Amino acid sequence: MLKRKLPTLFLITALLLSASGCSEAEPGTAKTQSNPTQTEQDTTAETTNEPVSSKSAGADSSPASLPKPPITLEEILAYSEAAGQYAGSNYDEAAVKAELDKLSKDMDTEEVYARILHLIGENYQKEKSTFDRLEQVNYRQALLSIDPADPASAPQTKPKANIEVILDASGSMAEKVNGGVKMDLAKKSIQGFLESIPMNSNVGLRVFGHKGSGSEQDKPLSCAQTELVYPLGSYDQARFQGSLQQFGPKGWTGIATALEAAREDLKNSHSEGMENIIYLVTDGIETCGGNPVEVAKSLHQSEMKAVINLIGFDVNDEAQRQLKAVAEAGGGTYTTVKDKAALENVFKQYLNELYKENSSWMQQAIDNVWNQYEGEEKELIDTRKKMLDKVETEYDRLKAAVSYLRDQELLEKKQKSELLFWLDDRWLDLSVYADDRWFEIGHKMDVEWMDASAEVESRWMENGRMLDAKSGKIALRIPSLRTPKIRIKPLRNKPIRYDF
């Protein structure tokens, strides 16, 4: 009986062992663990967008998903991902190899490329942004910010100087000197002066003593009256001639009152960086009880920093002393004239001073534009050099990474070949891009600089010719000769590669 039952017991024991043996198939694996089913694998793949493999599952430091790697130049320049973890100065060959070891052998070529770029690839948006900014250079605008003399650009610019002439129209200006009546000579000289000043200026004419008469009865009226007959603005010959016809010599000499009124004239047209110059022509001392010295001092020390120059027309010693004190307090000069020739000469001297400032302006303008040009060209050169260095270093590191993966048999021969072709294209496209931008932007900057400088010189020479015509002198004015810099782009060729 026992012998008949043995086969049956043996069969039962074998079935029990086979049922329990499934959990012991992988040595060292806990019985509570189990391999994921195909359904679970599919779910994991959908969630992480990664192919499931033993190596990729263990690469904890790899990102769950990466964007498509940029291939074309447009894609590379638009790539918004930050530089790789080991890019630039953070490069660590051992750490990079450790990360590469985690890659799966069954990854496709595009994903391998994305992983390598994520580790050591560079970002080139900063260089592109710098090139784009430098492409917008406008040296003419830099010029106009210094001297807005171009009438066509007047709405966008501001005048450089306010020049106001204050003319004494008191009764004594009806007297004659050698050459004619004081008032007539003064009007003619002032008109010639204002129509000859540099174009980038506002001009104005204020008079005093032109109301009432020289009688004591009219003194309060005359001393209180001063009038801006030609408001500050650009010079217009017809309008200015009309303003000169509005008054004649009549009353008292209220110099302080006229200067106080000029404060408001300049205040309304004053802006930061604007020069404010007053030329006052009088033939006598203050007779209205004011203190022109204190007023002049206040004007000069104010925010507008007005400079007050005085011309004493056929005045006595007492008047000269007072008028000189007014000029000194106002930071200007005093000149005594006795006749028509002397009056004309003093205004010519004033013109010379203004045009010396014009020459100084020309040099300042050219220096300003040149300094901007030099600074931006240096930035252009540095940006190109840094980009080329970055591209070259990145290329060497990417090639080394591809070779390492192939040596570790994590890449197929065909994959290595495809990756190297992509790297060659990346290196060539970025290098040529840096060369092209340097060449094109540099040439544009050269032309902008030459054109802006030529415009400065043209205005300077035009103003100088006007001064020459007035003074009777001839000055040699030769424009500078400027040529673009020689820029030669290097020839770059893609490496020749055969099937590996």
Side-chain angles (χ1 to χ4, degrees):
M1 292 293 293
L2 183 59
K3 290 181 179 179
R4 281 194 220 127
K5 290 181 180 178
L6 282 174
T8 305
L9 289 171
F10 182 80
L11 180 60
I12 293 171
T13 301
L15 289 172
L16 289 172
L17 287 173
S18 64
S20 62
C22 294
S23 62
E24 298 175 357
E26 295 286 342
T29 304
K31 293 183 179 181
T32 55
Q33 293 179 335
S34 62
N35 290 330
T37 64
Q38 183 61 45
T39 303
E40 290 171 334
Q41 290 181 358
D42 292 343
T43 303
T44 303
E46 289 174 4
T47 303
T48 63
N49 292 320
E50 290 189 77
V52 176
S53 67
S54 58
K55 290 187 178 181
S56 64
D60 296 334
S61 61
S62 298
S65 62
L66 291 173
K68 181 179 181 294
I71 304 296
T72 67
L73 177 64
E74 291 73 18
E75 291 172 347
I76 296 170
L77 296 175
Y79 195 60
S80 59
E81 295 295 309
Q85 180 182 357
Y86 299 105
S89 59
N90 294 324
Y91 185 70
D92 183 330
E93 184 178 359
V96 170
K97 287 181 177 179
E99 292 296 330
L100 294 175
D101 286 338
K102 299 175 184 179
L103 300 188
S104 170
K105 185 175 182 179
D106 58 2
M107 294 171 68
D108 63 36
T109 310
E110 190 174 273
E111 186 175 4
V112 173
Y113 192 31
R115 298 287 185 186
I116 297 175
L117 289 178
H118 181 74
L119 287 174
I120 53 180
E122 300 284 356
N123 181 288
Y124 295 94
Q125 286 191 331
K126 180 179 178 182
E127 289 79 9
K128 180 182 183 301
S129 176
T130 302
F131 284 134
D132 290 346
R133 173 171 53 80
L134 292 175
E135 191 175 27
Q136 305 305 314
V137 295
N138 189 337
Y139 297 126
R140 186 174 184 276
Q141 191 58 44
L143 156 69
L144 292 178
S145 69
I146 303 169
D147 176 40
D150 186 358
S153 62
Q156 305 171 10
T157 59
K158 297 178 181 179
K160 180 187 175 190
N162 291 321
I163 297 175
E164 180 164 316
V165 176
I166 301 177
L167 177 58
D168 179 357
S170 61
S172 57
M173 287 291 287
E175 297 173 0
K176 290 185 177 181
V177 294
N178 185 19
V181 175
K182 291 181 186 178
M183 177 57 74
D184 295 339
L185 297 177
K187 286 182 176 181
K188 185 177 180 180
S189 295
I190 290 169
Q191 182 173 2
F193 170 65
L194 292 181
E195 71 184 11
S196 303
I197 62 173
M199 295 178 291
N200 54 315
S201 302
N202 282 329
V203 300
L205 176 64
R206 176 172 285 279
V207 296
F208 63 91
H210 62 305
K211 299 290 184 180
S213 68
S215 68
E216 285 290 337
Q217 183 179 353
D218 283 343
K219 183 177 180 179
L221 170 66
S222 180
C223 288
Q225 296 296 316
T226 177
E227 183 178 353
L228 187 64
V229 293
Y230 190 90
L232 275 168
S234 58
Y235 180 80
D236 180 277
Q237 185 178 24
R239 282 198 306 118
F240 193 82
Q241 285 179 337
S243 70
L244 293 176
Q245 307 306 315
Q246 298 177 29
F247 61 91
K250 292 182 180 179
W252 295 69
T253 309
I255 298 175
T257 301
L259 286 174
E260 277 291 359
R263 183 196 303 274
E264 293 303 312
D265 302 338
L266 298 174
K267 181 179 178 181
N268 292 335
S269 298
H270 171 69
S271 64
E272 189 175 350
M274 180 86 72
E275 291 184 82
N276 295 284
I277 308 172
I278 295 173
Y279 299 94
L280 192 151
V281 182
T282 181
D283 72 339
I285 198 170
E286 167 77 36
T287 59
C288 291
N291 189 335
V293 175
E294 286 301 317
V295 178
K297 182 179 179 181
S298 175
L299 267 170
H300 185 58
Q301 294 180 351
S302 68
E303 183 185 31
M304 65 186 69
K305 296 181 176 62
V307 174
I308 303 170
N309 302 293
L310 274 85
I311 300 173
F313 198 178
D314 190 32
V315 297
N316 59 31
D317 291 344
E318 181 185 3
Q320 286 189 46
R321 285 192 295 271
Q322 186 191 73
L323 297 178
K324 185 177 181 180
V326 173
E328 289 176 351
T333 60
Y334 170 73
T335 308
T336 298
V337 298
K338 292 290 185 180
D339 54 24
K340 173 185 177 182
L343 183 62
E344 290 176 347
N345 283 334
V346 74
F347 274 116
K348 283 182 181 179
Q349 290 174 15
Y350 284 142
L351 276 177
N352 272 302
E353 291 172 5
L354 288 173
Y355 279 93
K356 282 178 183 177
E357 288 186 14
N358 179 66
S359 295
S360 173
W361 159 80
M362 181 208 70
Q363 193 57 53
Q364 178 195 357
I366 290 179
D367 288 348
N368 244 32
V369 177
W370 173 255
N371 289 338
Q372 182 181 344
Y373 166 80
E374 276 200 318
E376 289 175 336
E377 192 198 29
K378 182 179 184 303
E379 187 178 10
L380 178 68
I381 293 171
D382 290 347
T383 301
R384 178 206 184 202
K385 183 180 183 305
K386 289 176 182 177
M387 184 169 180
L388 290 175
D389 289 346
K390 184 194 286 191
V391 170
E392 192 69 31
T393 300
E394 178 199 55
Y395 179 62
D396 291 340
R397 292 172 178 176
L398 291 172
K399 282 196 306 178
V402 170
S403 295
Y404 177 78
L405 287 173
R406 176 60 181 157
D407 292 343
Q408 299 303 112
E409 297 185 351
L410 294 172
L411 278 182
E412 298 294 334
K413 182 179 178 181
K414 182 178 180 181
Q415 285 182 301
K416 178 183 178 182
S417 178
E418 187 174 9
L419 284 169
L420 288 178
F421 274 114
W422 284 347
L423 297 185
D424 292 343
D425 285 342
R426 182 181 176 93
W427 167 82
L428 183 62
D429 288 346
L430 287 170
S431 299
V432 171
Y433 170 80
D435 291 338
D436 287 347
R437 296 297 276 162
W438 162 77
F439 183 85
E440 294 160 2
I441 296 171
H443 180 71
K444 181 178 184 293
M445 288 167 61
D446 292 345
V447 173
E448 287 267 358
W449 147 245
M450 290 189 298
D451 289 349
S453 300
E455 185 169 356
V456 174
E457 289 184 345
S458 175
R459 296 181 186 189
W460 166 70
M461 293 175 71
E462 183 177 352
N463 285 344
R465 283 193 292 269
M466 290 173 62
L467 178 60
D468 295 343
K470 290 292 177 182
S471 64
K473 298 176 182 178
I474 298 178
L476 184 62
R477 304 175 192 276
I478 303 174
S480 303
L481 179 63
R482 297 183 176 88
T483 57
K485 293 185 177 180
I486 298 174
R487 301 175 187 271
I488 302 175
K489 291 188 292 184
L491 293 176
R492 299 185 186 276
N493 297 310
K494 181 178 175 180
I496 299 174
R497 296 192 185 277
Y498 302 97
D499 191 19
F500 292 90

